[in-house]
Amino acid sequence: MSENLQPNGVLKGVKVLDFSEYIAGPLAGEMLADLGADVIKVEPPHGDFWRHTAPVAPFESRGFMGVNKGKRSISLDLKNPGSKEVLRRAVLTSDVLLANYRPGVAARLGMDYATLSALNPRLIYCENTAFGSKGPYADRPGFDLVSQAMTGIMSFEGAGGLPHPIITTSPTDLSAGMFMAYSVAAALYHRELTGKGQYIETSLFGAGIFVQYRPMFAIEKFDRANREEMLRDIREARAQGNRADEATAERRSRGDQLRRGNPYYKIFETADGYIALACLNNRLRRAAAGVLGVEDPRLAGDQFNVEQLGPDETLVIGELIAAIFSSRPTDEWVDLFDAAGVPSGAVKMTAELFDDPHVEAEGFLVDLEHPTLGTVKQANTPVRMSGGETGTRRSSPALGQHTEEFLGELGFTGDEIAALETGGVVRRWKRGA
């Protein structure tokens, strides 16, 4: 392993076998690599499926490269009986294994937790699935879009009842990956205390529920009756063959009005663009109103008193604030709000972040050298630690780029590696091939 490419981080010396594909598991591996772990991306002969989604070169896609930096790649055919010895040696010398197989697949491949922990009791085995392993959805496949739908994220985000997926990022994938990395770090600490590894399970569905800290929260004495009435409306509508969103539109519109009618936490059009104003308490709202030059009786006390104005007055003041914002360019508004201590920011295009001076000063983008595509710029870890370096200097790997190197570390000779390749057990990457 080229030590100069990995940070001298707090996880230096930790070896991770990353068998996961797509987003959640690979992100977890990338996060561990950013803290100094040696992460081995173990891929089938065709590679992680994410490599083939909108490829920019053979076996390379932006999606894959974005969540696999900092890793080494080996290509191993787990369906080939010859892979058993490679897997055995790899597990014996590793600390962590990441996987995201559907229930039952790992056991068929002989790499489930029960089998591998018998080889290495110190192994930390972290598995992510779509829905978890116990409930009635356990055997169903799923991706982020399905989790957004089934956890209610879409319906909560949709204005006027129209389901609206979050497509600029993958919230359940990314949060599940973060939970994987977080739980692995905790398990490593626990192993230091006990000497024992353990099994960890996460799911996209569970992550989608957890991150909805507001909609997935109920004070039962206040909320239960309304929820049960809504559920009754939904059941009746579906029993009659009608759409549930139409049957509950009026009930949900009241909540939408409260969520979307606050002019102090909103996006506004300016003379030359857009600005986000984000005030979450009345002290900040009063300061914002002062900058805007508006009088709003709802801001007098400690709480935003929506009852202070009627619907028509609420509409008028909202339109007034929108008109005021349109009178100046975005940068002028940001300067005024900064001077008043009010949180605000220009709505930017992602391309602008590549030249943003704050992004450069904080090192939030990093230049890496990819083995086939040359220099790539991508997001760097936002974590900084006084106890060790963070942020890898290794790009995402080519498929099988480190097969020979890693097998050599496991004790396989050159002739044995060549035989494994000839037998279709492993695949080696060759520059220019």
Side-chain angles (χ1 to χ4, degrees):
M1 178 183 177
S2 304
E3 289 292 334
N4 64 326
L5 293 179
Q6 284 300 92
N8 187 23
V10 295
L11 294 184
K12 183 178 181 180
V14 172
K15 183 172 287 185
V16 179
L17 297 176
D18 181 3
F19 287 86
S20 63
E21 296 187 285
Y22 292 107
I23 301 174
L27 176 72
E30 180 177 280
M31 292 176 67
L32 297 173
D34 276 333
L35 297 180
D38 178 15
V39 181
I40 312 301
K41 176 88 176 177
V42 186
E43 305 184 64
H46 57 73
D48 181 335
F49 278 111
W50 206 220
R51 287 183 180 272
H52 307 289
T53 302
V56 294
F59 297 100
E60 302 293 347
S61 73
R62 297 174 189 272
F64 174 87
M65 295 166 72
V67 290
N68 284 286
K69 75 177 188 297
K71 304 176 186 180
R72 298 191 285 166
S73 169
I74 72 167
S75 180
L76 179 67
D77 185 359
L78 291 171
K79 296 178 181 178
N80 189 316
S83 68
K84 302 303 181 186
E85 179 60 16
V86 177
L87 178 63
R88 187 187 72 83
R89 293 194 199 184
V91 168
L92 284 173
T93 59
S94 296
D95 301 286
V96 178
L97 187 147
L98 305 175
N100 63 345
Y101 299 109
R102 287 177 62 180
V105 173
R108 290 199 297 273
L109 293 173
M111 54 166 298
D112 54 299
Y113 176 66
T115 300
L116 299 188
S117 64
L119 285 174
N120 180 1
R122 289 175 55 83
L123 182 68
I124 294 164
Y125 189 112
C126 184
E127 184 172 30
N128 184 71
T129 61
F131 294 100
S133 61
K134 295 179 180 177
Y137 306 155
D139 292 330
R140 298 180 62 179
F143 288 109
D144 178 83
L145 190 70
V146 175
S147 296
Q148 285 193 52
M150 294 185 65
T151 59
I153 291 175
M154 279 186 200
S155 61
F156 188 79
E157 290 298 322
L162 180 67
H164 182 75
I166 298 171
I167 58 173
T168 53
T169 187
S170 305
T172 69
D173 267 320
L174 297 180
S175 54
M178 292 176 188
F179 283 129
M180 291 177 77
Y182 148 84
S183 61
V184 164
L188 286 167
Y189 173 72
H190 182 261
R191 195 182 68 177
E192 286 300 302
L193 299 178
T194 66
K196 297 178 181 179
Q198 63 180 284
Y199 175 77
I200 300 168
E201 180 183 352
T202 63
S203 71
L204 303 184
F205 189 73
I209 290 174
F210 185 91
V211 297
Q212 295 182 83
Y213 73 98
R214 283 196 303 163
M216 293 302 303
F217 178 86
I219 301 173
E220 290 296 85
K221 67 179 180 180
F222 298 146
D223 303 328
R224 183 169 183 170
N226 182 65
R227 183 176 71 242
E228 289 180 345
E229 289 175 7
M230 178 174 275
L231 288 172
R232 186 174 62 247
D233 291 346
I234 292 170
R235 284 192 294 266
E236 290 177 357
R238 288 177 175 158
Q240 297 168 8
N242 297 324
R243 285 173 46 179
D245 60 317
E246 293 177 347
T248 60
E250 182 178 351
R251 189 186 303 279
R252 286 181 295 112
S253 69
R254 295 195 292 268
D256 282 343
Q257 289 169 5
L258 290 175
R259 285 194 296 125
R260 303 177 191 280
N262 179 358
Y264 303 99
Y265 200 87
K266 198 171 182 179
I267 306 299
F268 289 96
E269 187 172 356
T270 66
D272 66 347
Y274 300 90
I275 187 172
L277 180 65
C279 302
L280 284 178
N281 60 59
N282 261 13
R283 177 183 63 80
L284 291 173
R285 294 183 191 109
R286 284 192 292 269
V291 171
L292 294 165
V294 299
E295 294 185 7
D296 189 340
R298 296 173 294 181
L299 309 181
D302 292 333
Q303 298 182 18
F304 188 57
N305 187 359
V306 295
E307 304 297 332
Q308 194 71 29
L309 295 178
D312 291 341
E313 295 171 303
T314 298
L315 180 63
V316 168
I317 199 168
E319 291 178 343
L320 173 62
I321 290 174
I324 293 170
F325 267 112
S326 67
S327 67
R328 293 175 184 263
T330 300
D331 286 347
E332 286 188 21
W333 283 121
V334 170
D335 289 343
L336 289 169
F337 285 126
D338 280 351
V342 174
S344 73
V347 177
K348 295 189 176 185
M349 301 291 183
T350 52
E352 295 179 86
L353 278 300
F354 284 85
D355 293 321
D356 188 290
H358 189 77
V359 172
E360 181 178 358
E362 289 285 350
F364 288 151
L365 282 175
V366 62
D367 287 349
L368 303 172
E369 288 303 311
H370 189 271
T372 60
L373 292 170
T375 302
V376 297
K377 286 182 178 286
Q378 67 183 102
N380 197 8
T381 177
V383 175
R384 304 291 181 265
M385 302 180 72
S386 64
E389 296 176 352
T390 60
T392 181
R393 292 173 291 279
R394 186 192 297 277
S395 73
S396 62
L399 175 61
Q401 181 181 346
H402 305 95
T403 297
E404 185 171 5
E405 175 182 286
F406 184 64
L407 291 180
E409 293 170 8
L410 295 181
F412 288 94
T413 66
D415 288 343
E416 288 173 329
I417 294 171
L420 288 170
E421 184 175 29
T422 301
V425 177
V426 300
R427 174 176 181 165
R428 284 189 284 186
W429 175 75
K430 298 178 179 64
R431 186 176 296 275

